[in-house]
Amino acid sequence: MSERRLLIVEDDAVFARTLARSFERRGYQVRAITDPDDLDAAVDALKPDHAVVDLRLGNASGLTCVARLHALDPQMRIVVLTGFASIATAVEAVKLGATNYLSKPANSDDIEAAFQASGEGDASVELVAPPTSLRTLEWEHIHQTLADCGFNVSEAARRLGMHRRTLARKLGKRHL
């Protein structure tokens, strides 16, 4: 058996397969599962020392997988991947035994670096806010102008230099 054994728990089968191939080229013995119900059988078969767990596994939470994996082997290096990063889930993942927490998109280099990172933390991490998207800036500017006009759409459209119907359409779209 290879020295490094990796279990991937990811509901996106294509991404899991791609990640598995990448880690196999790096010398890992890899097993990928898409259903958290297969976790116990995969652990018994592979005896992993590393794991990559997606936070959202269909209707299930990857955090339950993190807790189960950590209970089976407290020394296992577990990285949680998510497209839905939040401070709350990051804190819970680490409390439950995750070694690291990465936002998607993350590649195999990022994941391997997360495996190798010590659990000590890095006080020199740069404290920068993520840049605000153009879409968010526009949304905030429109709503500030609208509030300044007492929520009069016609007046806000005039001040923004756009047609009233265009503004009404923008306001009707759901901002994420």
Side-chain angles (χ1 to χ4, degrees), residues 6-70:
L6 171 66
L7 176 64
I8 299 171
V9 185
E10 168 67 58
D11 62 342
D12 180 348
V14 174
F15 180 65
R17 205 170 28 251
T18 303
L19 203 55
R21 276 193 230 118
S22 179
F23 276 97
E24 285 169 348
R25 284 191 296 270
R26 293 168 185 257
Y28 286 80
Q29 182 179 348
V30 181
R31 173 127 188 221
I33 61 171
T34 57
D35 186 349
D37 293 335
D38 299 335
L39 185 67
D40 293 328
V43 168
D44 289 342
L46 183 65
K47 309 255 186 282
D49 52 8
H50 294 77
V52 175
V53 179
D54 188 13
L55 185 63
R56 284 198 182 173
L57 299 166
N59 292 329
S61 169
L63 293 178
T64 58
C65 294
V66 170
R68 285 171 49 200
L69 289 168
H70 184 70

Side-chain angles (χ1 to χ4, degrees), residues 122-136:
D122 183 3
S124 67
V125 167
E126 202 173 325
L127 302 175
V128 268
T132 305
S133 72
L134 187 58
R135 185 174 160 188
T136 300

